[in-house]
Amino acid sequence: MGLPIVWLGWSALEAIASGSNGLAASMLPTALRETGVLMASVGLVTGCAGLVAAWLVTHYEFPLRRLFDWALVLPLAVPTYLAAYSYVEFLGFPGPLQTALRTLNGASTLQDYWFPDIRSNWGAVIVLSSVLYPYVYVACRAFFLMQSSSLNIAARTLGAGGMRTFFTVTLPLSRPALVVGVTLAMMEVVNDLGAVQYFGVNAITAIIYSTWINRSDFGGAAQLAVTVVLVIGLLIAAEQRARRDRVYLGRRDSRVPPAREYLVGAQRWLAFGFCLVLLALGFGIPVGQLGYLAFRVILPETVSMTINALIPTLILASLGAVITVAIGLVAAKLAQRSGSTGRGAIRLATLGYAIPGTVLALGLLQPLGQADLWFNRMTMALIDWRPGLILSGSMAALLYVYAIRFLAVSHSTLDAAIKKRGDAMLDAGRVLGERGLGLLLRIDLPTLMPAILSAATLVFVEIVKELPATLLLRPLGIDTLATLVYSRANVGLFAQAALPALFIVLAGLIPVILATRLGDRRKV
């Protein structure tokens, strides 16, 4: 799991030693500045939007609150690059909004009126925030439901109003959940490639991609990639240090259930409007635009392209889910039996989820190519046969990077299930004479099957949506749904990409619906 990072570190040091670090040094300040501004802006917007939405649905009653309670999570099903393409189509010159505007004012060209250009840095902030705020919403909503309401009641009894209670009690106590959600949103910003490229933002992942693809400068790209890893590591370490020795959570008093205050007058409609706008921006506009483009004109070639991309997508996602879940199960079992050193090593192995897919793919290009070279030399020497690029030029490379990238998803799900189940069932099976493979097949795996299926579903959907690593490592002539959408949209043919994009969104809805149903069952 650590091979890509180790190889990138070595390549970066070699580039510095050879004196070929001019490109990285010249592009790094711009990349860090634009990436930092984008991360900070998205973090601020998602933090405010997600926190306020979670506060409203957990503390107040207003029209359609129960609908918004689960529907505000739906934007998680829309990948950032699909949201970017959809917004450009919706707000662009031929889009419905500008078309309606020209109809009203009688304009015929863009010079006859003014309209803001969505393909800009501010457009990237709005679009990314509209689909990433659920990270903050989910974390803060769960925190508010777990937190004792007696603290808010005490503040109100002492004379504090609703707003003062929010800023002096609710907001400070929700800091851990807020930070977790904002950090996840900012990690997604760093990992994004399609949206930042489409909006013309010189983010560090886009520069890494162009440095390798357009300039063939692996050393410069490696230095930029190592910088990304260091920045992410520093952010994680700083936050863990800041939260050390602090206690924020308290057990909820079952005698004081979370109470919701009924909003009246304009306040109830303001709360309703705020949640409705969030849902429309993050889910309604992207999915509505995709549906309109997909079903406006269904051409045979569009259906053929979608089917040709759907088949390898399903194969890769299925194989990737099986491999990643199998590794995650082994890692979870090893973590139960290992000491602190072993558990620490497994935690390090699952950090791939925090590292952009572009970085991981770049770190695998050369080692897999070198392994292919050695293997071909060996087969030529032994049986006079050259198999070709069986690792770097096949689906094996993609399955490898998927296992690194999404191991944390499967491991966390299975580790939690193993801890919850305990060892009592396995001990009973051993007492009754089961050992080894029989114990695994008849007791261990069946009792973990719900968690295994859940982990496999999550990994499957993540692979379907994954773009940066697939773009770099896919075999020649093979397109997935994500790469097909990317290639069509980048040449201005997004209408042809709307149907495969809609399939990606539908796949993304699966874990959102499952999580919502599971959450409903756990409500008390």
Side-chain angles (χ1 to χ4, degrees), residues 108-129:
S108 57
T109 66
L110 194 58
Q111 284 72 29
D112 297 334
Y113 65 99
W114 178 85
F115 195 87
D117 185 11
I118 188 67
R119 296 182 72 166
S120 59
N121 287 25
W122 70 266
V125 172
I126 293 176
V127 172
L128 290 175
S129 300

Side-chain angles (χ1 to χ4, degrees), residues 248-312:
Y248 294 87
L249 294 174
R251 293 184 179 274
R252 192 178 80 187
D253 188 348
S254 60
R255 296 168 298 173
V256 189
R260 294 187 182 93
E261 179 182 344
Y262 282 84
L263 295 177
V264 295
Q267 290 182 340
R268 65 199 303 259
W269 296 111
L270 284 175
F272 167 78
F274 179 81
C275 294
L276 182 64
V277 168
L278 274 187
L279 184 60
L281 290 176
F283 188 77
I285 291 177
V287 175
Q289 184 66 21
L290 288 176
Y292 169 73
L293 292 175
F295 298 110
R296 182 182 59 178
V297 179
I298 301 180
L299 300 175
E301 55 266 28
T302 302
V303 176
S304 176
M305 281 193 308
T306 303
I307 293 175
N308 290 336
L310 180 62
I311 294 173

Side-chain angles (χ1 to χ4, degrees), residues 225-248:
V226 170
T227 303
V228 173
V229 176
L230 292 177
V231 169
I232 290 174
L234 288 174
L235 286 173
I236 295 173
E239 174 49 30
Q240 288 180 346
R241 183 175 180 82
R243 286 193 289 142
R244 189 175 59 184
D245 301 328
R246 293 190 182 185
V247 178
Y248 294 87

Side-chain angles (χ1 to χ4, degrees), residues 2 13 76 87 301 486:
L13 291 175
L76 284 178
Y87 264 91
E301 55 266 28
Y486 175 86

Side-chain angles (χ1 to χ4, degrees), residues 446-460:
T447 55
L448 294 176
M449 192 54 63
I452 291 174
L453 293 176
S454 176
T457 301
L458 292 174
V459 174
F460 181 94

Side-chain angles (χ1 to χ4, degrees), residues 339-368:
S340 58
T341 303
R343 287 192 292 270
I346 292 173
R347 280 196 295 269
L348 287 175
T350 59
L351 286 179
Y353 196 68
I355 300 173
T358 308
V359 174
L360 294 175
L362 189 70
L364 285 178
L365 283 171
Q366 284 195 348
L368 292 182

Side-chain angles (χ1 to χ4, degrees), residues 87-105 113 115-116 285 289:
Y87 264 91
V88 170
E89 291 292 317
F90 182 75
L91 298 177
F93 182 79
L97 199 59
Q98 289 202 49
T99 300
L101 184 62
R102 289 194 300 273
T103 302
L104 290 175
N105 61 18
Y113 65 99
F115 195 87
I285 291 177
Q289 184 66 21

